[in-house]
């Protein structure tokens, strides 16, 4: 049985395992799901490498990288992936990233997932600041972060190199002393 690290109303977060490679390839290998990510769709071996890195990072002390399977309790396999990277120089702060299988889009699960990541970071990891960067064209991510209580802080110009060229990033953040769990 998978170890669940954080439960929300509709979604749970659990530790990523090697058994999740195929399920996570449904996110990382899908052209629609990766259209706003800084890389082209990944192959199964590339996803296996990412999962291996996540499993190794879970054993690190201090743990700086949390790659978690997004779980719908009604489904057998993970429906997405959530990432929280703690800043080694500023361990009170972390960056989040997330991806859901396209067949779960449009039902508010992105907002639920952002809320769950904030809960995990603030309540379980004791963070003070959690931030995320999104493509300016990724309006569903904008809506999810704003609805979950994150504040849009500004734009980093030419922040990410993508297969299509340099891309700006819009930064959203939440602070522990301003955040309220919804």
């Amino acid at each position: 049985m998978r170890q669940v690290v954080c439960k929300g109303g509709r979604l749970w977060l659990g530790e990523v395992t090697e058994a999740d490679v195929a399920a996570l390839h449904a996110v990382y290998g899908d052209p629609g799901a990766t259209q706003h990510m800084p890389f082209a769709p990944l192959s199964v071996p590339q996803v296996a490498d990412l999962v291996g890195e996540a499993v190794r990072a879970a054993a690190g002390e201090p743990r700086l990288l949390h790659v978690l399977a997004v779980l719908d309790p009604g489904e057998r396999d993970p429906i997405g992936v959530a990432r929280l990277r703690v800043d080694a120089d500023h361990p009170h702060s972390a960056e989040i990233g997330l991806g859901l299988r396209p067949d779960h889009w449009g039902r508010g699960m992105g907002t639920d997932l952002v809320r769950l990541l904030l809960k995990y970071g603030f309540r379980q990891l004791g963070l003070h600041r959690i931030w995320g960067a999104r493509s300016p064209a990724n309006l569903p991510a904008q809506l999810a972060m704003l609805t979950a209580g994150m504040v849009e802080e500004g734009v980093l110009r030419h922040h990410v190199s993508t297969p299509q060229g340099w891309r700006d990033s819009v930064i959203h953040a939440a602070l522990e002393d301003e955040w309220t769990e919804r």
Side-chain angles (χ1 to χ4, degrees):
M1 185 68 174
R2 178 188 304 275
Q3 177 189 2
V4 174
V5 297
C6 192
K7 289 185 180 182
R10 289 198 296 177
L11 300 174
W12 297 353
L13 298 175
E15 294 290 352
V16 167
T17 71
E18 279 90 5
D20 296 330
V21 171
L24 298 185
H25 183 257
V27 176
Y28 285 131
D30 184 275
T34 58
Q35 69 180 325
H36 299 293
M37 295 183 186
F39 50 81
L42 302 179
S43 66
V44 172
Q46 289 172 314
V47 174
D49 289 345
L50 288 178
V51 169
E53 177 188 351
V55 170
R56 287 187 298 279
E61 273 302 321
R63 184 174 181 182
L64 299 176
L65 177 62
H66 301 252
V67 180
L68 304 167
V70 179
L71 309 169
D72 176 336
E75 296 210 19
R76 184 176 163 270
D77 292 321
I79 63 164
V81 63
R83 187 179 117 288
L84 191 144
R85 182 180 295 277
V86 177
D87 185 329
D89 294 327
H90 305 281
H92 61 277
S93 178
E95 177 187 11
I96 60 170
L98 54 107
L100 288 171
R101 276 192 343 232
D103 61 320
H104 285 76
W105 293 358
R107 299 187 297 182
M109 288 190 165
T111 299
D112 288 351
L113 180 50
V114 173
R115 286 181 177 140
L116 197 54
L117 278 168
L118 295 174
K119 176 181 174 181
Y120 178 67
F122 291 139
R123 288 243 175 109
Q124 291 183 233
L125 302 181
L127 297 170
H128 177 70
R129 174 184 167 78
I130 298 173
W131 66 279
R134 68 168 176 86
S135 162
N138 192 346
L139 299 182
Q142 176 187 29
L143 180 61
M145 287 194 262
L146 291 174
T147 304
M150 298 180 85
V151 174
E152 190 172 305
E153 294 186 326
V155 176
L156 293 177
R157 295 175 12 174
H158 285 210
H159 177 234
V160 177
S161 177
T162 73
Q164 294 77 34
W166 287 100
R167 186 201 81 203
D168 296 348
S169 290
V170 180
I171 305 301
H172 294 256
L175 303 177
E176 184 273 331
D177 52 351
E178 296 175 350
W179 174 74
T180 56
E181 185 177 348
R182 299 173 192 189

